[in-house]
Amino acid sequence: MQQQIHSNKVRQVLFLVLIVFLAILLFKELYFMLTSFLGAITLYIILRKWMFKLGTNFKMKKWLAALILILFSILVLVLPMIWVGSISYQKVKPFLQNPQIVKDAFEQINVYLRNNLKLDIFNKANVEKITNQVVPFAQNTIGGTLNSLLNLVVMYITLFFLLVNNMEVELWVNKHLPLKKSNSNIAISEFKRLVLSNAVGIPLVAIIQGMAGFVGYLIFGIQGALLLGILTAIFSVIPMVGATLIWGPLALYLLSQGEQGNALGVSLWGFFLIGSIDNVARFLLQKRIGDIHPLITIFGVIIGINLFGFVGLIFGPLLVSMFILIVKIYVDEFGIADADEIFEPKV
């Protein structure tokens, strides 16, 4: 006799289909605000401790404490980023409009390497490939920085309500996570650690390396030291080879121009000081807030820049880390033993 599907199951499936349909529709229409929501959640995790302190130690009203923390974050994060973005855009704009400037510089490097070391690394074909990759990357990065006013407004509105309703939000998340209690605690704890590692650790290391690079470029009289320092900070996000992609070609260019002393100085400064800062800073941060695997950072940066522009330097690695965390929790929540019971039920 054919078994009929219970009406409750039918209603449940229809209800789930409706939920998925609405979720896809909402995500499609609100996708452009994804960075706003990610930014609000990231800032909430960073500021939540101070929110509780202002309320507990100073008996401050929630709305006032939230406004103070938002103002603080704008002064510390947003205004410096706007300044850096503006400076970078003005300095990089001529190169984006005329990539031939970059090609000519690499051609001079290639002539020097070919004449002195018999190397033909930066020939026209290779430079063309580099330019075709770097220019769109730079345009995405800068474009994501300049078109973020609406996202900032939405981010801070969302952050305000998260901070004011912090207890209700956290209780709701704890109650509605579809996981075992142990896995819920692990997920929340790991998520906080990942946010701090990506949103605090990565930018902090980048800023330190960028400042070190800027000082070095000033010492050796390099034109455009500020822009090169900013680029050093941005590229230092890429593990192992990041900052080398700036000071390495710069040293070769100085050699091609006959500035052997400055070229040697930039090389030593980059290899020993900037490289050491990267290793030491990452080691110290790893002990305090945890570290992110280099491959996660590399793939995360590539994905993040394509998705979000400049802020993808942070959110890209965070999304990759979250994907790995979700997979780990899924394996623990619905492990092999459970799968065996499903496919080989007990008789």
Side-chain angles (χ1 to χ4, degrees):
M1 182 177 176
Q2 189 174 4
Q3 186 177 2
Q4 290 185 340
I5 301 175
H6 197 280
S7 59
N8 283 339
K9 291 291 184 181
V10 175
R11 291 204 307 270
Q12 183 181 7
V13 170
L14 292 176
F15 197 71
L16 286 174
V17 169
L18 179 61
I19 291 174
V20 171
F21 171 75
L22 290 175
I24 294 173
L25 181 63
L26 291 172
F27 180 80
K28 180 181 178 182
E29 296 301 323
L30 296 176
Y31 171 75
F32 72 100
M33 292 186 181
L34 181 59
T35 53
S36 302
F37 299 129
L38 289 174
I41 293 171
T42 300
L43 285 176
Y44 172 77
I45 291 174
I46 295 172
L47 298 174
R48 65 183 294 276
K49 179 176 70 173
W50 302 102
M51 183 69 185
F52 285 117
K53 283 187 176 182
L54 289 176
T56 304
N57 298 343
F58 298 94
K59 308 299 181 184
M60 195 174 291
K61 291 188 178 296
K62 286 188 173 183
W63 66 268
L64 180 58
L67 287 178
I68 289 174
L69 291 175
I70 286 173
L71 179 61
F72 174 77
S73 71
I74 291 174
L75 293 174
V76 174
L77 298 175
V78 177
L79 294 183
M81 285 184 64
I82 292 175
W83 178 77
V84 169
S86 176
I87 293 293
S88 301
Y89 179 72
Q90 294 301 325
K91 298 289 186 180
V92 174
K93 187 178 179 180
F95 300 100
L96 295 178
Q97 292 177 338
N98 184 17
Q100 189 61 41
I101 299 174
V102 178
K103 294 178 182 179
D104 291 342
F106 275 113
E107 176 61 26
Q108 294 179 43
I109 294 173
N110 193 57
V111 169
Y112 175 85
L113 292 176
R114 190 171 59 242
N115 293 339
N116 293 274
L117 301 175
K118 308 303 179 185
L119 296 175
D120 192 29
I121 300 175
F122 297 112
N123 54 55
K124 288 186 177 180
N126 290 338
V127 170
E128 193 70 32
K129 292 178 183 177
I130 294 172
T131 305
N132 291 338
Q133 294 294 323
V134 171
V135 171
F137 181 86
Q139 288 173 337
N140 285 340
T141 303
I142 295 173
T145 304
L146 297 178
N147 300 321
S148 57
L149 180 60
L150 177 61
N151 283 333
L152 278 175
V153 173
V154 175
M155 181 184 75
Y156 276 113
I157 291 174
T158 307
L159 176 62
F160 177 81
F161 286 105
L162 286 176
L163 290 172
V164 170
N165 301 289
N166 50 11
M167 293 300 297
E168 294 87 345
V169 169
E170 295 190 14
L171 287 174
W172 186 90
V173 171
N174 276 292
K175 181 179 179 181
H176 290 87
L177 273 180
L179 301 170
K180 295 183 293 189
K181 186 64 177 177
S182 58
N183 280 334
S184 293
N185 294 334
I186 292 173
I188 293 171
S189 175
E190 280 294 296
F191 181 71
K192 291 177 182 177
R193 186 187 69 82
L194 290 174
V195 168
L196 291 175
S197 298
N198 285 279
V200 177
I202 291 177
L204 191 57
V205 173
I207 290 170
I208 295 172
Q209 286 190 273
M211 292 176 64
F214 171 64
V215 172
Y217 304 140
L218 281 179
I219 291 174
F220 298 107
I222 308 300
Q223 290 186 350
L226 179 58
L227 174 62
L228 289 170
I230 293 172
L231 292 176
T232 300
I234 293 174
F235 277 83
S236 68
V237 172
I238 305 172
M240 301 175 66
V241 298
T244 311
L245 297 175
I246 300 300
W247 62 259
L250 174 62
L252 291 174
Y253 179 75
L254 292 172
L255 275 176
S256 71
Q257 301 301 303
E259 300 182 37
Q260 287 84 358
N262 286 337
L264 178 61
V266 168
S267 299
L268 294 175
W269 187 276
F271 184 80
F272 288 105
L273 187 63
I274 299 177
S276 298
I277 286 175
D278 181 47
N279 295 328
V280 172
R282 289 184 191 278
F283 175 75
L284 294 175
L285 287 170
Q286 183 178 8
K287 294 180 68 175
R288 292 296 301 273
I289 59 178
D291 199 12
I292 302 299
H293 194 279
L295 285 178
I296 293 177
T297 305
I298 291 172
F299 291 124
V301 166
I302 295 172
I303 294 168
I305 289 293
N306 288 329
L307 285 175
F308 308 122
F310 181 74
V311 293
L313 294 171
I314 297 173
F315 293 140
L318 178 59
L319 287 177
V320 176
S321 300
M322 281 304 303
F323 172 76
I324 295 173
L325 173 62
I326 291 171
V327 171
K328 288 180 179 178
I329 292 175
Y330 175 83
V331 170
D332 185 74
E333 189 81 13
F334 311 101
I336 301 300
D338 294 333
D340 290 341
E341 291 178 5
I342 292 173
F343 291 106
E344 297 180 9
K346 296 179 180 180
V347 180

